[in-house]
Amino acid sequence: MNRFYFGGSDSSGSDLEEDTLPYPKPLTRSAFLVPDFDPTSFLSSLHNRHQTLEDLRSELRTRSQELNKELLDLVNSNYQDFLSLGSSLQGGEEKVEEVRVGLLGFKRDVEGLKEKVDDRRKEVDQLVEEKRRVRKEIQRGRGLLEVDQRLEELEEGLLLKLKGATTRRETDTDDIEISESEEDSGNEAAKNSTSISRLQRRVIQFVYTRKLADKIGSDQPFIAKQEERLSRVRNTLLLDIGSAFKQISTNEHARGTTLKILNIYRELGEPDEALRILKDRKI
């Protein structure tokens, strides 16, 4: 706000009153130097400032002109230094070239390390794949050994390693015979239960061995050579089961044994054979 003074005694009272007004202080430079300066917030803080909007604009315009003048004086005072800056940097091309050469060498080193890491990664991938292949072959080898071992146990249990099937048949007949005499039904039933349980265990072992061989695959030469042994064991089991089935009596005590043998046929995958024998006996 501008103040005006008039001469004469008549204006002394008005001058006194004007001197008592709260004149605004000049805007400080520090108010504009805060890091988060915001014009809107700054203007809002001047609401208690006793000053007209036109006087505030005039003061801000004056402040801007002063800053422009200071900036121009600063550039003029340092203009000679700006001009001499180029000459003071003479000889810097060599340092820049040294830095460039160093960076190129560092780049080559990094690329060389990257190639080595890539080669090592590929080598590790190949080793991991080889390990998986070897583990798979080991599992297959264990499966082959298990097939051979179980076939050998079945052949020994079925007496297939004796001289011919006739010798085995004659040796094993007593194990699967069932007397039809009702007087000896108690002893023969216990004997028959043991034989049927033994047959069932052998059938379960054969079915497991058959599935294990199929899992390994018939393209495996060893499995292809065991097909003859598997067929011989299967046929022998069918003969034993059929022989036991035919010797079962038709009384009430033998019906439980009949159901067990039918279940053995089912586990062996030969339900049709059981039906055929049942029809032949007309049970």
Side-chain angles (χ1 to χ4, degrees):
M1 179 178 291
N2 299 325
R3 292 192 293 174
F4 300 92
Y5 297 93
F6 299 94
S9 60
D10 294 339
S11 61
S12 61
S14 62
D15 291 341
L16 182 61
E17 292 179 359
E18 188 174 359
D19 288 337
T20 60
L21 293 177
Y23 293 106
K25 295 180 180 181
L27 296 175
T28 61
R29 177 176 296 187
S30 60
F32 300 93
L33 299 178
V34 293
D36 55 348
F37 176 77
D38 181 56
T40 303
S41 301
F42 175 74
L43 292 176
S44 299
S45 65
L46 303 178
H47 64 281
N48 293 328
R49 187 180 179 87
H50 296 277
Q51 188 179 23
T52 63
L53 181 60
E54 185 61 32
D55 290 340
L56 180 60
R57 288 178 178 174
S58 177
E59 186 171 357
L60 290 174
R61 190 177 298 110
T62 301
R63 174 67 64 182
S64 177
Q65 292 174 354
E66 292 176 354
L67 291 175
N68 289 335
K69 184 176 181 302
E70 291 179 5
L71 179 60
L72 182 60
D73 293 341
L74 181 63
V75 172
N76 291 333
S77 62
N78 293 279
Y79 183 72
Q80 191 64 33
D81 295 335
F82 287 136
L83 293 179
S84 61
L85 180 61
S87 58
S88 64
L89 291 178
Q90 290 181 357
E93 294 83 358
E94 297 179 357
K95 295 183 179 296
V96 172
E97 183 65 19
E98 291 178 0
V99 173
R100 189 180 71 83
V101 172
L103 289 176
L104 289 176
F106 179 74
K107 181 180 179 181
R108 285 194 299 268
D109 294 339
V110 171
E111 291 177 350
L113 290 175
K114 183 179 179 182
E115 292 179 357
K116 292 181 179 180
V117 170
D118 291 339
D119 294 339
R120 184 58 59 88
R121 180 181 58 80
K122 293 178 181 179
E123 182 180 354
V124 170
D125 291 341
Q126 292 176 356
L127 291 176
V128 171
E129 187 64 27
E130 181 68 15
K131 181 179 179 181
R132 291 175 181 173
R133 188 188 64 79
V134 171
R135 182 180 299 175
K136 186 176 180 181
E137 292 297 329
I138 291 175
Q139 292 176 351
R140 179 176 294 182
R142 290 175 178 173
L144 295 176
L145 291 176
E146 185 176 1
V147 169
D148 182 67
Q149 180 181 357
R150 290 184 176 274
L151 277 176
E152 186 172 356
E153 292 175 357
L154 284 170
E155 289 172 343
E156 290 178 356
L158 295 172
L159 305 177
L160 291 177
K161 291 192 174 182
L162 298 178
K163 294 181 180 180
T166 304
T167 306
R168 190 202 67 81
R169 270 293 152 249
E170 294 174 353
T171 306
D172 200 37
T173 301
D174 293 337
D175 293 336
I176 60 175
E177 264 190 355
I178 301 172
S179 176
E180 296 182 0
S181 174
E182 294 183 1
E183 295 177 358
D184 300 332
S185 60
N187 295 332
E188 294 299 331
K191 191 175 181 182
N192 176 54
S193 178
T194 302
S195 300
I196 297 303
S197 298
R198 184 164 56 250
L199 274 174
Q200 187 173 19
R201 288 195 302 270
R202 290 171 180 170
V203 167
I204 292 175
Q205 186 175 3
F206 171 77
V207 172
Y208 176 80
T209 307
R210 176 76 268 182
K211 290 182 178 179
L212 182 60
D214 292 339
K215 182 179 179 181
I216 296 174
S218 59
D219 56 333
Q220 180 64 234
F222 179 81
I223 296 298
K225 291 181 179 180
Q226 306 311 310
E227 289 297 332
E228 183 180 354
R229 297 173 66 189
L230 288 168
S231 299
R232 185 166 62 248
V233 170
R234 178 178 175 277
N235 294 333
T236 303
L237 286 173
L238 287 174
L239 289 175
D240 286 348
I241 298 170
S243 178
F245 203 178
K246 291 176 181 179
Q247 295 179 22
I248 296 175
S249 61
T250 58
N251 55 35
E252 293 295 332
H253 298 284
R255 293 194 179 276
T257 304
T258 302
L259 293 177
K260 289 182 180 179
I261 292 181
L262 291 176
N263 186 51
I264 292 176
Y265 270 116
R266 181 184 61 81
E267 291 178 349
L268 192 58
E270 295 291 342
D272 295 337
E273 183 67 16
L275 292 176
R276 185 185 64 79
I277 295 177
L278 283 174
K279 289 179 180 180
D280 293 342
R281 296 189 58 182
K282 299 180 179 180
I283 295 181

